[in-house]
PDB file of all heavy atoms in Angstrom:
ATOM      1  N   ASP A  39       2.467  32.948  15.589  1.00 81.00           N
ATOM      2  CA  ASP A  39       3.257  33.286  16.783  1.00 81.00           C
ATOM      3  C   ASP A  39       3.573  34.765  16.877  1.00 81.00           C
ATOM      4  O   ASP A  39       4.085  35.242  17.894  1.00 81.00           O
ATOM      5  CB  ASP A  39       4.576  32.504  16.765  1.00 81.00           C
ATOM      6  CG  ASP A  39       5.416  32.861  15.542  1.00 81.00           C
ATOM      7  OD1 ASP A  39       4.841  32.878  14.432  1.00 81.00           O
ATOM      8  OD2 ASP A  39       6.620  33.134  15.689  1.00 81.00           O
ATOM      9  N   ARG A 131     -16.300  34.475   9.368  1.00 75.00           N
ATOM     10  CA  ARG A 131     -16.191  35.386   8.223  1.00 75.00           C
ATOM     11  C   ARG A 131     -16.453  34.659   6.907  1.00 75.00           C
ATOM     12  O   ARG A 131     -17.065  35.218   5.995  1.00 75.00           O
ATOM     13  CB  ARG A 131     -14.791  36.005   8.198  1.00 75.00           C
ATOM     14  CG  ARG A 131     -14.580  37.003   7.066  1.00 75.00           C
ATOM     15  CD  ARG A 131     -13.178  37.562   7.102  1.00 75.00           C
ATOM     16  NE  ARG A 131     -12.902  38.256   8.362  1.00 75.00           N
ATOM     17  CZ  ARG A 131     -11.702  38.752   8.668  1.00 75.00           C
ATOM     18  NH1 ARG A 131     -10.689  38.601   7.838  1.00 75.00           N
ATOM     19  NH2 ARG A 131     -11.522  39.368   9.814  1.00 75.00           N
ATOM     20  N   THR A 171       3.309  24.547  16.263  1.00 85.00           N
ATOM     21  CA  THR A 171       3.607  25.301  15.039  1.00 85.00           C
ATOM     22  C   THR A 171       2.533  25.110  13.973  1.00 85.00           C
ATOM     23  O   THR A 171       2.412  25.917  13.052  1.00 85.00           O
ATOM     24  CB  THR A 171       4.952  24.884  14.435  1.00 85.00           C
ATOM     25  OG1 THR A 171       4.872  23.524  13.958  1.00 85.00           O
ATOM     26  CG2 THR A 171       6.072  25.003  15.459  1.00 85.00           C
ATOM     27  N   GLU A 221     -14.491 -19.830 -34.926  1.00 83.00           N
ATOM     28  CA  GLU A 221     -15.818 -19.688 -34.327  1.00 83.00           C
ATOM     29  C   GLU A 221     -15.729 -19.071 -32.936  1.00 83.00           C
ATOM     30  O   GLU A 221     -16.480 -18.143 -32.594  1.00 83.00           O
ATOM     31  CB  GLU A 221     -16.488 -21.057 -34.253  1.00 83.00           C
ATOM     32  CG  GLU A 221     -17.883 -21.024 -33.643  1.00 83.00           C
ATOM     33  CD  GLU A 221     -18.461 -22.410 -33.461  1.00 83.00           C
ATOM     34  OE1 GLU A 221     -17.864 -23.379 -33.978  1.00 83.00           O
ATOM     35  OE2 GLU A 221     -19.500 -22.526 -32.778  1.00 83.00           O
ATOM     36  N   VAL A 236     -22.442   1.910 -27.394  1.00 92.00           N
ATOM     37  CA  VAL A 236     -22.612   2.127 -25.947  1.00 92.00           C
ATOM     38  C   VAL A 236     -22.124   3.517 -25.551  1.00 92.00           C
ATOM     39  O   VAL A 236     -22.800   4.247 -24.803  1.00 92.00           O
ATOM     40  CB  VAL A 236     -21.854   1.048 -25.138  1.00 92.00           C
ATOM     41  CG1 VAL A 236     -21.870   1.389 -23.648  1.00 92.00           C
ATOM     42  CG2 VAL A 236     -22.474  -0.314 -25.360  1.00 92.00           C
ATOM     43  N   HIS A 242     -25.193  10.753 -25.537  1.00 94.00           N
ATOM     44  CA  HIS A 242     -26.537  11.262 -25.814  1.00 94.00           C
ATOM     45  C   HIS A 242     -27.326  11.452 -24.524  1.00 94.00           C
ATOM     46  O   HIS A 242     -28.039  12.452 -24.356  1.00 94.00           O
ATOM     47  CB  HIS A 242     -27.275  10.299 -26.747  1.00 94.00           C
ATOM     48  CG  HIS A 242     -28.703  10.694 -26.991  1.00 94.00           C
ATOM     49  ND1 HIS A 242     -29.062  11.754 -27.799  1.00 94.00           N
ATOM     50  CD2 HIS A 242     -29.876  10.162 -26.519  1.00 94.00           C
ATOM     51  CE1 HIS A 242     -30.383  11.880 -27.805  1.00 94.00           C
ATOM     52  NE2 HIS A 242     -30.899  10.926 -27.046  1.00 94.00           N
ATOM     53  N   TYR A 282     -24.225  56.837  -9.136  1.00 92.00           N
ATOM     54  CA  TYR A 282     -24.747  55.948 -10.183  1.00 92.00           C
ATOM     55  C   TYR A 282     -23.750  55.825 -11.330  1.00 92.00           C
ATOM     56  O   TYR A 282     -23.471  54.736 -11.821  1.00 92.00           O
ATOM     57  CB  TYR A 282     -26.081  56.494 -10.697  1.00 92.00           C
ATOM     58  CG  TYR A 282     -26.919  55.480 -11.445  1.00 92.00           C
ATOM     59  CD1 TYR A 282     -27.912  54.762 -10.802  1.00 92.00           C
ATOM     60  CD2 TYR A 282     -26.719  55.250 -12.804  1.00 92.00           C
ATOM     61  CE1 TYR A 282     -28.696  53.840 -11.476  1.00 92.00           C
ATOM     62  CE2 TYR A 282     -27.481  54.325 -13.493  1.00 92.00           C
ATOM     63  CZ  TYR A 282     -28.472  53.619 -12.827  1.00 92.00           C
ATOM     64  OH  TYR A 282     -29.232  52.704 -13.519  1.00 92.00           O
ATOM     65  N   ILE A 326     -23.135  10.829 -12.409  1.00 94.00           N
ATOM     66  CA  ILE A 326     -22.659   9.604 -11.747  1.00 94.00           C
ATOM     67  C   ILE A 326     -23.525   8.410 -12.151  1.00 94.00           C
ATOM     68  O   ILE A 326     -23.018   7.314 -12.420  1.00 94.00           O
ATOM     69  CB  ILE A 326     -22.661   9.796 -10.220  1.00 94.00           C
ATOM     70  CG1 ILE A 326     -21.708  10.928  -9.828  1.00 94.00           C
ATOM     71  CG2 ILE A 326     -22.274   8.508  -9.509  1.00 94.00           C
ATOM     72  CD1 ILE A 326     -21.750  11.296  -8.360  1.00 94.00           C
ATOM     73  N   ARG A 329     -22.779   7.301 -15.671  1.00 94.00           N
ATOM     74  CA  ARG A 329     -21.515   6.563 -15.702  1.00 94.00           C
ATOM     75  C   ARG A 329     -21.709   5.114 -15.263  1.00 94.00           C
ATOM     76  O   ARG A 329     -21.155   4.195 -15.853  1.00 94.00           O
ATOM     77  CB  ARG A 329     -20.509   7.273 -14.792  1.00 94.00           C
ATOM     78  CG  ARG A 329     -19.150   6.581 -14.728  1.00 94.00           C
ATOM     79  CD  ARG A 329     -18.622   6.616 -13.312  1.00 94.00           C
ATOM     80  NE  ARG A 329     -17.435   5.825 -13.166  1.00 94.00           N
ATOM     81  CZ  ARG A 329     -17.432   4.502 -13.015  1.00 94.00           C
ATOM     82  NH1 ARG A 329     -18.572   3.825 -13.003  1.00 94.00           N
ATOM     83  NH2 ARG A 329     -16.308   3.838 -12.891  1.00 94.00           N
ATOM     84  N   ASP A 341     -19.469  -9.928 -20.121  1.00 88.00           N
ATOM     85  CA  ASP A 341     -20.119 -11.117 -19.568  1.00 88.00           C
ATOM     86  C   ASP A 341     -20.736 -11.969 -20.679  1.00 88.00           C
ATOM     87  O   ASP A 341     -20.843 -13.197 -20.540  1.00 88.00           O
ATOM     88  CB  ASP A 341     -21.200 -10.719 -18.564  1.00 88.00           C
ATOM     89  CG  ASP A 341     -20.609 -10.194 -17.265  1.00 88.00           C
ATOM     90  OD1 ASP A 341     -19.423 -10.497 -17.002  1.00 88.00           O
ATOM     91  OD2 ASP A 341     -21.325  -9.501 -16.525  1.00 88.00           O
ATOM     92  N   ASP A 345     -20.590 -15.964 -21.089  1.00 82.00           N
ATOM     93  CA  ASP A 345     -21.810 -16.773 -21.182  1.00 82.00           C
ATOM     94  C   ASP A 345     -21.860 -17.557 -22.489  1.00 82.00           C
ATOM     95  O   ASP A 345     -22.256 -18.727 -22.512  1.00 82.00           O
ATOM     96  CB  ASP A 345     -23.043 -15.869 -21.057  1.00 82.00           C
ATOM     97  CG  ASP A 345     -23.129 -15.189 -19.704  1.00 82.00           C
ATOM     98  OD1 ASP A 345     -22.489 -15.701 -18.750  1.00 82.00           O
ATOM     99  OD2 ASP A 345     -23.813 -14.155 -19.592  1.00 82.00           O
ATOM    100  N   SER A 348     -19.362 -20.411 -22.375  1.00 70.00           N
ATOM    101  CA  SER A 348     -19.660 -21.478 -21.416  1.00 70.00           C
ATOM    102  C   SER A 348     -21.070 -22.036 -21.565  1.00 70.00           C
ATOM    103  O   SER A 348     -21.402 -23.048 -20.962  1.00 70.00           O
ATOM    104  CB  SER A 348     -19.484 -20.953 -19.978  1.00 70.00           C
ATOM    105  OG  SER A 348     -20.345 -19.845 -19.769  1.00 70.00           O
ATOM    106  N   ASP A 372     -11.587 -39.958 -24.098  1.00 38.00           N
ATOM    107  CA  ASP A 372     -11.541 -39.857 -25.562  1.00 38.00           C
ATOM    108  C   ASP A 372     -12.047 -38.506 -26.066  1.00 38.00           C
ATOM    109  O   ASP A 372     -12.641 -38.400 -27.138  1.00 38.00           O
ATOM    110  CB  ASP A 372     -12.363 -40.976 -26.214  1.00 38.00           C
ATOM    111  CG  ASP A 372     -11.855 -42.348 -25.794  1.00 38.00           C
ATOM    112  OD1 ASP A 372     -10.614 -42.477 -25.632  1.00 38.00           O
ATOM    113  OD2 ASP A 372     -12.679 -43.238 -25.597  1.00 38.00           O
ATOM    114  N   ALA A 426     -22.377  39.464 -21.246  1.00 94.00           N
ATOM    115  CA  ALA A 426     -23.569  40.149 -21.746  1.00 94.00           C
ATOM    116  C   ALA A 426     -23.650  41.588 -21.251  1.00 94.00           C
ATOM    117  O   ALA A 426     -24.103  42.485 -21.976  1.00 94.00           O
ATOM    118  CB  ALA A 426     -24.817  39.376 -21.311  1.00 94.00           C
ATOM    119  N   MET A 427     -23.201  41.846 -20.014  1.00 94.00           N
ATOM    120  CA  MET A 427     -23.387  43.159 -19.405  1.00 94.00           C
ATOM    121  C   MET A 427     -22.235  44.124 -19.653  1.00 94.00           C
ATOM    122  O   MET A 427     -22.419  45.349 -19.546  1.00 94.00           O
ATOM    123  CB  MET A 427     -23.595  43.009 -17.900  1.00 94.00           C
ATOM    124  CG  MET A 427     -24.949  42.449 -17.518  1.00 94.00           C
ATOM    125  SD  MET A 427     -26.306  43.464 -18.137  1.00 94.00           S
ATOM    126  CE  MET A 427     -26.094  44.947 -17.170  1.00 94.00           C
ATOM    127  N   ALA A 432     -20.500  49.644 -20.890  1.00 93.00           N
ATOM    128  CA  ALA A 432     -19.689  50.494 -21.777  1.00 93.00           C
ATOM    129  C   ALA A 432     -20.557  51.560 -22.445  1.00 93.00           C
ATOM    130  O   ALA A 432     -20.135  52.726 -22.579  1.00 93.00           O
ATOM    131  CB  ALA A 432     -18.998  49.632 -22.826  1.00 93.00           C
ATOM    132  N   CYS A 434     -23.339  52.794 -21.245  1.00 92.00           N
ATOM    133  CA  CYS A 434     -23.793  53.726 -20.202  1.00 92.00           C
ATOM    134  C   CYS A 434     -22.759  54.814 -19.924  1.00 92.00           C
ATOM    135  O   CYS A 434     -23.104  55.965 -19.646  1.00 92.00           O
ATOM    136  CB  CYS A 434     -24.077  52.968 -18.905  1.00 92.00           C
ATOM    137  SG  CYS A 434     -25.569  51.953 -18.958  1.00 92.00           S
ATOM    138  N   PRO A 440     -25.870  67.334 -19.938  1.00 87.00           N
ATOM    139  CA  PRO A 440     -27.191  67.364 -19.283  1.00 87.00           C
ATOM    140  C   PRO A 440     -28.029  66.132 -19.639  1.00 87.00           C
ATOM    141  O   PRO A 440     -28.072  65.701 -20.792  1.00 87.00           O
ATOM    142  CB  PRO A 440     -27.828  68.653 -19.844  1.00 87.00           C
ATOM    143  CG  PRO A 440     -26.678  69.480 -20.290  1.00 87.00           C
ATOM    144  CD  PRO A 440     -25.620  68.540 -20.763  1.00 87.00           C
ATOM    145  N   GLU A 472     -19.902  21.199 -24.756  1.00 90.00           N
ATOM    146  CA  GLU A 472     -19.677  20.621 -26.089  1.00 90.00           C
ATOM    147  C   GLU A 472     -18.246  20.133 -26.260  1.00 90.00           C
ATOM    148  O   GLU A 472     -18.001  18.993 -26.659  1.00 90.00           O
ATOM    149  CB  GLU A 472     -20.020  21.642 -27.175  1.00 90.00           C
ATOM    150  CG  GLU A 472     -21.498  21.868 -27.393  1.00 90.00           C
ATOM    151  CD  GLU A 472     -22.188  20.646 -27.982  1.00 90.00           C
ATOM    152  OE1 GLU A 472     -21.508  19.815 -28.601  1.00 90.00           O
ATOM    153  OE2 GLU A 472     -23.406  20.527 -27.819  1.00 90.00           O
ATOM    154  N   GLU A 473     -17.287  21.021 -25.974  1.00 87.00           N
ATOM    155  CA  GLU A 473     -15.875  20.667 -26.182  1.00 87.00           C
ATOM    156  C   GLU A 473     -15.423  19.531 -25.263  1.00 87.00           C
ATOM    157  O   GLU A 473     -14.805  18.562 -25.738  1.00 87.00           O
ATOM    158  CB  GLU A 473     -14.990  21.897 -25.984  1.00 87.00           C
ATOM    159  CG  GLU A 473     -13.521  21.615 -26.284  1.00 87.00           C
ATOM    160  CD  GLU A 473     -12.643  22.847 -26.085  1.00 87.00           C
ATOM    161  OE1 GLU A 473     -13.208  23.939 -25.870  1.00 87.00           O
ATOM    162  OE2 GLU A 473     -11.413  22.707 -26.133  1.00 87.00           O
ATOM    163  N   HIS A 478     -13.236  14.514 -24.341  1.00 90.00           N
ATOM    164  CA  HIS A 478     -13.144  13.382 -23.412  1.00 90.00           C
ATOM    165  C   HIS A 478     -13.915  12.171 -23.933  1.00 90.00           C
ATOM    166  O   HIS A 478     -13.553  11.029 -23.624  1.00 90.00           O
ATOM    167  CB  HIS A 478     -13.668  13.789 -22.035  1.00 90.00           C
ATOM    168  CG  HIS A 478     -12.873  14.875 -21.384  1.00 90.00           C
ATOM    169  ND1 HIS A 478     -11.544  14.728 -21.052  1.00 90.00           N
ATOM    170  CD2 HIS A 478     -13.214  16.142 -21.014  1.00 90.00           C
ATOM    171  CE1 HIS A 478     -11.103  15.843 -20.505  1.00 90.00           C
ATOM    172  NE2 HIS A 478     -12.095  16.710 -20.471  1.00 90.00           N
ATOM    173  N   VAL A 506      -2.420 -24.856 -37.330  1.00 69.00           N
ATOM    174  CA  VAL A 506      -1.105 -24.242 -37.177  1.00 69.00           C
ATOM    175  C   VAL A 506      -0.284 -25.071 -36.204  1.00 69.00           C
ATOM    176  O   VAL A 506      -0.651 -25.236 -35.038  1.00 69.00           O
ATOM    177  CB  VAL A 506      -1.230 -22.789 -36.663  1.00 69.00           C
ATOM    178  CG1 VAL A 506       0.154 -22.188 -36.448  1.00 69.00           C
ATOM    179  CG2 VAL A 506      -2.033 -21.948 -37.644  1.00 69.00           C
ATOM    180  N   ASP A 510       8.907 -27.043 -32.490  1.00 74.00           N
ATOM    181  CA  ASP A 510       9.517 -27.309 -31.183  1.00 74.00           C
ATOM    182  C   ASP A 510      10.713 -26.401 -30.956  1.00 74.00           C
ATOM    183  O   ASP A 510      11.588 -26.267 -31.817  1.00 74.00           O
ATOM    184  CB  ASP A 510       9.959 -28.773 -31.096  1.00 74.00           C
ATOM    185  CG  ASP A 510       8.768 -29.721 -31.056  1.00 74.00           C
ATOM    186  OD1 ASP A 510       7.678 -29.248 -30.666  1.00 74.00           O
ATOM    187  OD2 ASP A 510       8.916 -30.900 -31.416  1.00 74.00           O
TER     188      ASP A 510
END
Side-chain angles (χ1 to χ4, degrees):
D39 61 313
R131 182 180 300 175
T171 67
E221 180 186 350
V236 172
H242 175 74
Y282 198 95
I326 298 174
R329 179 220 172 279
D341 288 340
D345 296 339
S348 59
D372 302 324
M427 287 302 293
C434 288
E472 285 292 337
E473 184 180 352
H478 297 298
V506 177
D510 291 337

